[in-house]
Every structure is written in C-alpha cells, then in structure tokens.
Amino acid sequence: MLSMFVDFLFPPRCPSCKSYVERRGGFCGACTRRLTGLRTVARSVDAVSYLAGIWALGYYREGVRDLLRTLKYRREKSVLPYLHGMLAAGEAVLMQLPEQIVAVPVPLAPARAHERGFNQTELIFAPWLKAHGIAFESLLVRSRETAPLYEFSREERRRELRGAFVCANGAQIAGRHILLLDDIMTTGTTLLECARTLKRAGAENIYALVLASEHS
Ligand SMILES: [Zn+2]
C-alpha cells in the first residue's frame, strides 16, 4: 500500500536515461541491453595464467559508470539496489565454479577506505553472496599506497601494482578455491596482481567476477 503511494508520488524511473519503468530498481529495456550482459573477458587480458576465468556482469559505460561514481564519491548507498539487480546474471558463473569457494574483495588503498568508510565491492556483492551461501573473506590487504592508475598504460600499471597486495595476517589460502571480486575491470592488472599474490600463497584455482568491464 505504502509502496503504491510512493510510486504514485515518485514513479519509478530508469537510473540511466530517466525514462519511466514499470518496477522500481531496474534499468529500462534499452538500457538493460546497453549496460548489462554476462560475458567472459579472459581472452581480452594477457597473462591470464593466474586466473582460471574472468567474468563481467555489465559494461562500464555511462549509466553504470554514474551509479558507481555516485556510490563511491558521493557515498550514496541509495543506488545499491540497481547494482544488486545486475548480479542476477551471476548465477550462471556460480554453476561453473567449484562448490567450496571463498569470495575475496579487491582491497582498497587504506587512505581511500578510510575516507569512503566502506569498500564498494563488498556492498555490491554481499547480499548476493549471502543468498548463495558463499563466505566473504578479506584475505588480501594493500601493503602500500599506489598512484591512481587511470592515466597509466598497462605496463605502467603492472609496475605500479607489483607487490602492492599481501595476504592478510593469518589468512588461510593454501589449497582453497577463490573468487576475486571487484567493481570495475579496465586492463585487468589489479585482478592479475591479486591473483598472483594468492597463487604464491598456495591458492588452488582463482576466478574473478566484476560488476562492470570496458571489454566487450
Ligand atoms: Zn533507460
């Protein structure tokens, strides 16, 4: 009843193009087609040897990009339902993974985590992981601050990130299957460096799932 009243006052709109939609919390049909779509991006990245598979749930384009920026820089958690809606397609990924798997978020730089107050990747994936009975463990931490990567080439990113992650104190990694999670994938360098760190600590198979990627 209350929701009908809210819908009357504030009819649900697509968060990307602002056109009216039937149900609150999703993109319109055109934006769904433009912004979402599960795909494997493993072949777009070089040196995938540490990662047994990389999947993206959506495209890092205007729409998804704005939602993520609103969450990260304006710290507005009201956009989370739209991002949560994109995870439904992840079901198909889970069917390809070993049953015993632990989810590990890519850790933020300490300064950024402190300023933001949360790791957006955890907020995006937590309800979905819980619904599927997958534990979230912060097995990785940043060992040092790194420069912002957006203007770096792939080689510069690799150099900047080398050794930037270490295993958390007392982390149980040997022999485990791990699903790395991140909000955005650009060159894949961050995921690769995380996977390299986990592999050296004895992880069995490492997979990666990101909300949005620039790769098609
Ligand atoms: Zn739309």
Side-chain angles (χ1 to χ4, degrees):
M1 199 52 201
L2 178 66
S3 67
M4 280 173 69
F5 184 63
V6 171
D7 282 352
F8 176 73
L9 285 179
F10 309 102
R13 287 170 183 260
C14 170
S16 177
C17 69
K18 312 295 179 206
S19 67
Y20 291 107
V21 293
E22 268 179 42
R23 267 180 300 108
R24 197 174 293 279
F27 296 108
C28 71
C31 290
T32 298
R33 286 187 291 279
R34 188 173 61 84
L35 296 171
T36 68
L38 175 70
R39 62 210 187 280
T40 169
V41 285
R43 281 182 194 85
S44 327
V45 196
D46 60 1
V48 289
S49 52
Y50 296 112
L51 284 156
I54 309 174
W55 293 272
L57 293 155
Y59 294 89
Y60 190 60
R61 294 175 181 158
E62 188 189 344
V64 168
R65 191 174 58 210
D66 303 328
L67 289 173
L68 282 171
R69 285 185 180 163
T70 303
L71 175 65
K72 287 156 76 169
Y73 307 121
R74 290 167 54 195
R75 285 176 276 181
E76 278 199 32
K77 296 182 187 172
S78 59
V79 301
L80 278 169
Y82 300 112
L83 303 176
H84 290 157
M86 293 174 65
L87 267 63
E91 210 99 347
V93 172
L94 293 183
M95 297 198 306
Q96 300 176 58
L97 301 180
E99 219 165 280
Q100 294 296 323
I101 197 155
V102 61
V104 176
V106 169
L108 295 182
R112 218 159 302 153
H114 183 74
E115 166 197 346
R116 198 168 294 164
F118 57 79
N119 179 335
Q120 70 281 354
T121 301
E122 293 182 19
L123 293 187
I124 293 166
F125 284 94
W128 181 77
L129 292 171
K130 196 170 177 208
H132 291 95
I134 299 172
F136 224 143
E137 289 184 36
S138 299
L139 299 180
L140 289 174
V141 291
R142 295 254 181 178
S143 62
R144 57 177 166 81
E145 297 288 343
T146 50
L149 299 175
Y150 24 83
E151 285 181 357
F152 283 19
S153 72
R154 179 173 297 209
E155 193 42 50
E156 287 168 332
R157 283 168 188 246
R158 189 171 298 156
R159 228 174 300 135
E160 179 62 22
L161 285 176
R162 193 48 53 136
F165 301 98
V166 291
C167 299
N169 272 336
Q172 301 286 318
I173 293 168
R176 296 182 85 182
H177 299 297
I178 291 170
L179 178 62
L180 271 173
L181 299 172
D182 210 354
D183 55 346
I184 307 162
M185 172 178 156
T186 46
T187 60
T189 313
T190 304
L191 289 173
L192 205 63
E193 183 60 23
C194 286
R196 197 178 69 88
T197 307
L198 291 165
K199 201 74 177 178
R200 290 176 76 172
E204 185 67 38
N205 284 310
I206 306 163
Y207 308 83
L209 179 64
V210 298
L211 184 78
S213 157
E214 287 173 346
H215 302 260
S216 51

